[in-house]
Amino acid sequence: MDRLDRRNMLMAGGALDAIGASGAASPAGARALWTWSPKSSVAGAGGGRDPEWVWDGEADRLIASVIDRGDVSRVNELLRTWTRNGQPLPSGLPADVRDFMERARQLPSWADRNLLEAAADFNKSRSFYLNLLNGVGGGMLSTAIPREARSVYHSKSGADMEDRVARTSLLGFAIGDLNAYRPDGDVIVQAVKTRMVHAAVRHLLPRSPAWSQTSGGRKIPISQADIMVTWHSLATYAMQKLTEWKVPVSPADASAYLHVWQVTAHMLGVHDEYVPATWDAADAQSEQVLDPVLASTREGLELTAILLRQLAEQTSPGGIDRPLVNALARFLVGARVADMDGIPEEPFWEKVITAVWPKLIASREKLIPLPLVPPLAWTIDEAARQYILFYQAKRQGAHIEIPETQRPGS
């Protein structure tokens, strides 16, 4: 694991001291009482039980058994050959694993193929914005979500962030592919594998003393609420930013984009009563489960520093463009989250990005001619493009696999 350099370590300590002094984020990861109504979900009804205390019983029992009986390596080897939605499951899988996966790979009855196709077209037409928001923006948000940062850090994948980025990118980019839910796409594959990984983490992390010391008394990680927090840090956040940036999005496209994320939540094992039926419902749930829990943690600060270093190396070998990397990251998530993540302020580049970003969007949307776009805007545009390429490149050759242990030393 890369270690924080002295400057970032001092910043990390300063950020935590400031938060501790203000009490604004204490306890880290706390959220309000669950009041969101299941009437606002795709199910339209439900028991209304707090998702904080709901996990994934079927997957959890299965994967605990797979780990405890020593079948992980065998299952992972076979699953490497399962790469497309329409592909039969590999022969040789244990019967209980096969039976679970056959059920888990089925789309919900309410999935609309026409909307999924429309979502694929929308993802293609808005891929620059969505890849930037779901890749870099979502990545920076994730490190400010205490439970997610700690689960990542203390899990096996936390010891190799390049590998972690690669595996996380698999599902994110699969959702945005033109063939996402078609037989030759791979969203279903990546979602089912991710669901199994979540179950493994729930089985393994409680054995980690390091995680247990920072879990706030929680015995099991990655509840249904935690998955929806992550969902909002991607889907809801992206739609909110598109609206803020005044990117033209028709009502039909907005509905289609929501639908692909609704289906994906179901495929990840989220109960339908927790999946928002509309963007208004998503905004309301996000305000309750995401916004209040954002906070700074030592794990999140270290993960952020590693991600920023990787991004800086991608945009410019040697890291000479690190100030631009910092500024663009701060622009994507805003000052509050950026400060939680310990992202340094870059006054020059932050002013430039704020000034030229609307012109970049107008140019991309063909609302203004190229000569009216300031030259520095293309520097920022190229940096954003390199960010996206970084995440796309990392997923090549990567596989989502069930872990057998937590992070070494945890």
Side-chain angles (χ1 to χ4, degrees):
M1 167 58 72
D2 298 273
R3 302 184 70 84
L4 287 168
D5 60 31
R6 185 172 184 276
R7 178 179 182 232
N8 283 329
M9 185 62 81
L10 290 171
M11 288 180 58
L16 287 171
D17 288 345
I19 289 169
S22 68
S26 181
R31 71 167 173 83
L33 182 69
W34 175 256
T35 59
W36 193 82
S37 172
K39 293 180 180 179
S40 297
S41 71
V42 294
R49 184 182 178 190
D50 189 340
E52 179 88 343
W53 308 107
V54 181
W55 290 272
D56 190 349
E58 184 182 12
D60 292 349
R61 289 187 293 272
L62 169 71
I63 300 304
S65 175
V66 169
I67 292 172
D68 291 345
R69 72 192 188 216
D71 265 350
V72 173
S73 296
R74 171 190 172 196
V75 170
N76 280 336
E77 183 178 358
L78 290 169
L79 290 186
R80 280 187 171 228
T81 67
W82 186 49
T83 60
R84 291 290 175 263
N85 297 331
Q87 183 181 350
L89 294 177
S91 60
L93 283 171
D96 55 353
V97 175
R98 170 178 292 277
D99 290 346
F100 167 78
M101 292 181 67
E102 287 292 6
R103 291 190 297 274
R105 70 187 297 189
Q106 302 304 314
L107 295 183
S109 60
W110 44 265
D112 186 319
R113 284 285 180 184
N114 291 329
L115 282 177
L116 292 175
E117 288 295 316
D121 290 337
F122 174 69
N123 274 302
K124 181 181 179 182
S125 68
R126 293 292 182 266
S127 61
F128 174 81
Y129 310 119
L130 295 174
N131 287 337
L132 185 64
L133 290 167
N134 288 329
V136 186
M140 293 299 130
L141 273 176
S142 73
T143 57
I145 300 170
R147 289 183 186 171
E148 184 166 350
R150 286 167 174 156
S151 292
V152 168
Y153 186 89
H154 295 291
S155 297
K156 182 179 179 181
S157 62
D160 184 346
M161 277 305 291
E162 292 208 16
D163 181 64
R164 169 69 185 188
V165 167
R167 297 187 187 195
T168 302
S169 298
L170 285 171
L171 179 59
F173 280 104
I175 293 170
D177 282 344
L178 190 59
N179 59 352
Y181 275 97
R182 295 175 185 170
D184 61 333
D186 66 336
V187 171
I188 294 172
V189 171
Q190 308 303 353
V192 172
K193 289 181 179 180
T194 299
R195 183 178 174 185
M196 295 165 75
V197 168
H198 286 168
V201 172
R202 283 191 287 267
H203 184 61
L204 293 168
L205 263 195
R207 305 177 182 182
S208 163
W211 177 79
S212 297
Q213 289 169 8
T214 63
S215 67
R218 286 177 61 81
K219 303 299 184 183
I220 307 173
I222 316 180
S223 68
Q224 298 260 304
D226 293 326
I227 297 174
M228 288 311 298
V229 166
T230 300
W231 190 92
H232 289 298
S233 74
L234 297 166
T236 308
Y237 159 73
M239 183 54 66
Q240 288 173 344
K241 296 303 286 188
L242 291 179
T243 301
E244 177 188 326
W245 292 347
K246 296 182 172 56
V247 176
V249 178
S250 70
D253 283 341
S255 294
Y257 185 63
L258 175 61
H259 191 66
V260 76
W261 279 100
Q262 290 169 330
V263 174
T264 302
H266 176 96
M267 301 306 292
L268 288 170
V270 176
H271 297 186
D272 289 350
E273 71 172 274
Y274 301 129
V275 181
T278 66
W279 282 118
D280 285 343
D283 288 337
Q285 190 184 97
S286 180
E287 287 178 8
Q288 183 171 115
V289 302
L290 173 61
D291 297 358
V293 306
L294 296 171
S296 190
T297 62
R298 294 198 179 279
E299 294 89 345
L301 288 161
E302 184 165 343
L303 295 175
T304 300
I306 294 166
L307 285 171
L308 289 173
R309 176 186 58 75
Q310 291 176 347
L311 289 167
E313 290 173 354
Q314 172 72 15
T315 56
S316 177
I320 59 173
D321 288 333
R322 178 62 181 266
L324 176 52
V325 168
N326 293 339
L328 190 48
R330 289 186 67 89
F331 175 75
L332 289 172
V333 297
R336 174 178 172 239
V337 172
D339 290 343
M340 291 175 182
D341 279 339
I343 304 173
E345 294 184 22
E346 304 290 352
F348 170 77
W349 279 115
E350 289 179 52
K351 288 181 181 179
V352 171
I353 293 172
T354 301
V356 305
W357 195 256
K359 292 183 172 60
L360 270 177
I361 291 176
S363 172
R364 283 186 168 275
E365 300 301 320
K366 297 180 172 55
L367 299 176
I368 62 173
L370 292 180
L372 294 183
V373 181
L376 270 179
W378 301 115
T379 301
I380 296 165
D381 186 82
E382 176 62 15
R385 191 178 69 84
Q386 290 296 328
Y387 274 24
I388 295 166
L389 290 175
F390 167 79
Y391 281 90
Q392 289 176 327
K394 292 300 178 186
R395 71 173 178 152
Q396 301 303 317
H399 300 274
I400 296 175
E401 296 187 329
I402 302 167
E404 295 180 81
T405 63
Q406 61 266 26
R407 178 190 176 112
S410 288

